Amino acid sequence: MASTDEFLRLDRQICFALNAASRAFGGVYRELLKDLGLTYPQYLAMLVLWETAPEEGPLPVKRLGERLRLDSGTLSPLLKRLETNGLVRRERSTADERSVTVTLTDAGATLKDRAAEVPRQIAAATGFDLEEIETLRARLEQLTRALDGWAKSSPAGD
């Protein structure tokens, strides 16, 4: 069993390893997304919008925020920038004026084809094969669910 001093070493902290990996991914994504004119958070928003079938209609911004785990204060400027760049259109819902919806423009929909190479390039940058990537992704989702559950049940979360 490791000593307290061992457990308190920076290189033993899972939070630091995850943060370092996230920052490294950010650097790779920054380079890959430059040609698309997107930031990483904008790319994530576009992924959700590309998943949304046109027949489903405009996506409520609230639902987009839930999918991305972003609050409206973070999401609104991101969507404003995508709208300024001609990739999305934001509109107040006619059914509920408090609700804003977002829709891809033709330019936003077309960008999907150019973005198709990004996941392959990310996979290549990791040096992992597709099975390893899928296993890691599934484990990270499991970790997120566990931490979300802990936060909801923790007395400190009240």
Side-chain angles (χ1 to χ4, degrees), residues 31-45:
E31 284 302 310
L32 293 176
L33 297 174
K34 211 183 284 184
D35 290 341
L36 299 177
L38 297 174
T39 63
Y40 177 67
Q42 291 170 345
Y43 172 71
L44 296 179

Side-chain angles (χ1 to χ4, degrees), residues 106-158:
D106 289 342
T110 301
L111 189 61
K112 181 179 181 180
D113 292 334
R114 290 183 45 216
E117 195 57 31
V118 172
R120 284 187 269 281
Q121 291 172 315
I122 289 294
T126 67
F128 293 176
D129 65 35
L130 293 179
E131 188 174 318
E132 290 171 313
I133 289 172
E134 180 55 29
T135 299
L136 177 59
R137 189 202 53 73
R139 294 292 289 174
L140 289 170
E141 284 182 357
Q142 182 182 13
L143 175 63
T144 301
R145 282 191 305 275
L147 294 173
D148 283 347
W150 183 88
K152 287 177 184 165
S153 67
S154 168
D158 293 336

Side-chain angles (χ1 to χ4, degrees), residues 74-95:
T74 303
L75 192 55
S76 291
L78 182 154
L79 291 173
K80 184 176 183 179
R81 181 65 159 237
L82 288 173
E83 187 173 41
T84 298
N85 292 340
L87 300 175
V88 303
R89 186 174 52 260
R90 294 180 300 162
E91 298 174 321
R92 291 237 170 253
S93 168
T94 54

